[in-house]
Amino acid sequence: MAADPRNFIRERAAALGFDACRFASASQPWSAGERLAHFVEAGRHGDMGWMETTLERRAHPTSMWPAARTAIVLGLNYGPGQDPLPELADRSAGYISVYARGDDYHELIKGRLKTLAGQVAARTGEDVKVFVDTAPLMEKPLAQRAGVGWQGKHTNLLSRGRGSWLFLGVILTAAELAPDAPEGEHCGACTACLDACPTRAFPAPFQLDARRCLSYLTIEFAGPWPVEFRKATGSRIYGCDDCLAVCPWNKFAVASHETRVQARAALMSPRLADLAALDDAAFRALFSKSPVKRIGRDRFTRNVLYAIGNSGDRALIEAARALLDDPAPLVRGAAVWALSRLVGEAAFAGLRAERLPEEADASVRAEWTGDQA
C-alpha cells in the first residue's frame, strides 16, 4: 500500500514552523458563500468594495479554481504570551494589535506556503495554489471544515489548543486527499467577545458589522470617522484585540515560538507624541516589514490623533497643534478634533477664529464647526 501523502505533508509543515496542518474537501458544497452574500447585501462590508467585486469568486474554492479538490489548511501560532488588554490603560501610548507588532505575517507565511506547495506538487503530481488572506478565499470556513478550529461568536477562528492567536494559510491542490474531521462550535452560552466590543459591532452572535469595527476603521476606512467611534477607540491606533483577548479559550494559548511574529520593542506601547511627529520617511522606517505600513502615514496619523484626543493628556496638545498645518486634510481634520477634546472651549474658540478663515478643505472646516458626522 502506498504511503499516505498527508503524513509527508504534515511532517514538512511542522519542519517549516507551522503549528497546525489539516485537510478539508475544497469541492464539497458549503453555506459560507451564502452567508458572505448576505453580509455584503446588508452593506456590512462598508467601504471594502473588493468584497463585492470578488463575491462570486469568494463564494466557494472551486469558483476561483475549478480544479481544486483538497484544501491543506496551515496555522501559525502568534500568541503574545500574556493578556494585551491592560496596555489600554496607558492613554498616552498607542495600542497596536498583537498580530501587527512583528513582521508582516503575509510575507512570512507566503514564503513557507510556497515551499510546502512545491513539495506537495512534487509528491502528488498535481497542481497547487497558495493563499494568505489577501486572496479571495474564505480561509476561516475552510479551517473549521478541516478541524483547525471554529468560527466563534465574534466570527474569528478559535482553537481549543491556541485560543484566538492563529494565523492561517491555505494550499489548494487538485489532488484528492482524505479530509480530517471538522471542528464543532464550542462557544456555548458565553458572550464575552460580544460584550467586550467597544463599538457594539456584533448585531447578533456569529455576525459582524464591519462598519462599526475598530479593526476596519483603523485599517480599511480611508476618511474621517464618525465621532462616536473616535471616542470609542481609546488608544487603539491599529486594529483591536478586545473580542479576541477576552475569550476564555485563551487559557490554553501559549506564546509563539516564531521570533518574526513576536512584538518589536518599538511597537509595544509607543508614545503618542513620538508617533504624531512621524513624517512619511520616518513612518516607513519604523514600520518596515510591518503590516502597519500598508495603511500609509496619513491614515495612521489620523488614528494617532484620535487617540491623542481621547488621552486627556494636556502634554499632547503641542503634538496635535503641530499637525494643524499638515499637508493632508485627513490629518488636519483629526488634529482639530484632538484639540477640541484637550484645550477647553475658550481656547478652541480662539483657534477656530484664527484658523477657520484660512482653511479651504470642506472636511476640515466641518471639524472646526462641529458639523462632522
Side-chain angles (χ1 to χ4, degrees):
M1 178 182 293
D4 186 343
R6 296 180 305 163
N7 294 331
F8 167 81
I9 295 168
R10 291 188 184 104
E11 291 171 2
R12 298 314 306 153
L16 287 166
F18 288 108
D19 298 289
C21 175
R22 293 179 67 89
F23 301 83
S25 169
S27 57
Q28 292 297 312
W30 67 359
S31 60
E34 184 178 351
R35 294 197 303 271
L36 179 63
H38 290 157
F39 173 79
V40 171
E41 183 179 358
R44 290 177 177 172
H45 61 306
D47 284 356
M48 295 183 288
W50 44 267
M51 295 195 74
E52 186 171 357
T53 58
T54 61
L55 184 59
E56 290 186 8
R57 294 169 63 204
R58 290 177 183 276
H60 192 274
T62 56
S63 298
M64 184 172 49
W65 186 32
R69 292 296 175 266
T70 302
I72 307 169
V73 183
L74 291 307
L76 182 70
N77 174 38
Y78 72 99
Q82 60 187 11
D83 181 5
L85 295 187
E87 298 169 27
L88 291 167
D90 185 353
R91 288 299 185 99
S92 296
Y95 182 93
I96 295 173
S97 183
V98 169
Y99 89 87
R101 297 176 179 184
D103 286 0
D104 190 338
Y105 72 95
H106 299 91
E107 297 304 317
L108 172 64
I109 292 179
K110 186 182 295 184
R112 296 181 185 184
L113 285 177
K114 288 181 177 179
T115 298
L116 181 58
Q119 295 169 344
V120 171
R123 187 78 171 196
T124 64
E126 299 286 354
D127 288 342
V128 294
K129 295 184 183 294
V130 301
F131 301 90
V132 190
D133 67 4
T134 52
L137 183 75
M138 289 193 283
E139 72 279 356
K140 288 185 287 186
L142 278 174
Q144 182 159 350
R145 177 177 277 192
V148 174
W150 74 97
Q151 285 188 260
K153 292 180 181 179
H154 52 15
T155 75
N156 291 297
L157 194 80
L158 289 171
S159 163
R160 286 193 287 182
R162 295 176 181 83
S164 302
W165 318 107
L166 203 62
F167 291 136
L168 295 175
V170 177
I171 299 172
L172 293 183
T173 173
E176 290 276 7
L177 302 175
D180 287 311
E183 182 65 275
E185 183 256 300
H186 301 286
C187 292
C190 179
T191 59
C193 60
L194 310 183
D195 299 337
C197 180
T199 55
R200 298 294 179 259
F202 303 105
F206 308 105
Q207 296 181 29
L208 170 70
D209 187 340
R211 296 168 296 185
R212 301 185 63 88
C213 175
L214 290 175
S215 287
Y216 163 77
L217 289 163
T218 54
I219 299 169
E220 302 291 346
F221 189 68
W225 300 5
V227 170
E228 63 173 308
F229 302 137
R230 301 178 194 183
K231 295 178 180 178
T233 199
S235 58
R236 302 168 189 83
I237 56 173
Y238 187 91
C240 177
D241 292 323
D242 292 43
C243 67
L244 300 178
V246 299
C247 180
W249 282 102
N250 287 330
K251 65 185 177 183
F252 299 112
V254 295
S256 175
H257 60 82
E258 175 55 61
T259 57
R260 289 179 60 187
V261 304
Q262 292 171 1
R264 305 175 191 174
L267 303 188
M268 291 287 292
S269 299
R271 311 317 295 175
L272 293 174
D274 295 335
L275 297 177
L278 296 175
D279 60 15
D280 187 66
F283 168 80
R284 290 178 176 275
L286 178 61
F287 294 108
S288 174
K289 299 183 180 180
S290 163
V292 177
K293 188 169 71 172
R294 79 178 183 89
I295 70 171
R297 177 263 176 186
D298 294 348
R299 199 181 302 184
F300 179 77
T301 306
R302 170 203 63 187
N303 299 346
V304 169
L305 284 163
Y306 290 158
I308 286 175
N310 291 326
S311 69
D313 184 354
R314 291 183 58 82
L316 291 170
I317 288 175
E318 288 309 312
R321 189 192 298 267
L323 291 168
L324 290 175
D325 294 315
D326 194 86
L330 182 65
V331 173
R332 295 200 304 275
V336 172
W337 186 81
L339 289 168
S340 75
R341 302 264 290 171
L342 291 178
V343 302
E345 291 185 13
F348 185 72
L351 278 172
R352 180 173 58 228
E354 174 188 348
R355 294 277 183 163
L356 182 59
E358 303 298 323
E359 179 57 62
D361 188 88
S363 66
V364 183
R365 293 181 65 85
E367 298 288 350
W368 282 115
T369 58
D371 293 330
Q372 69 273 60

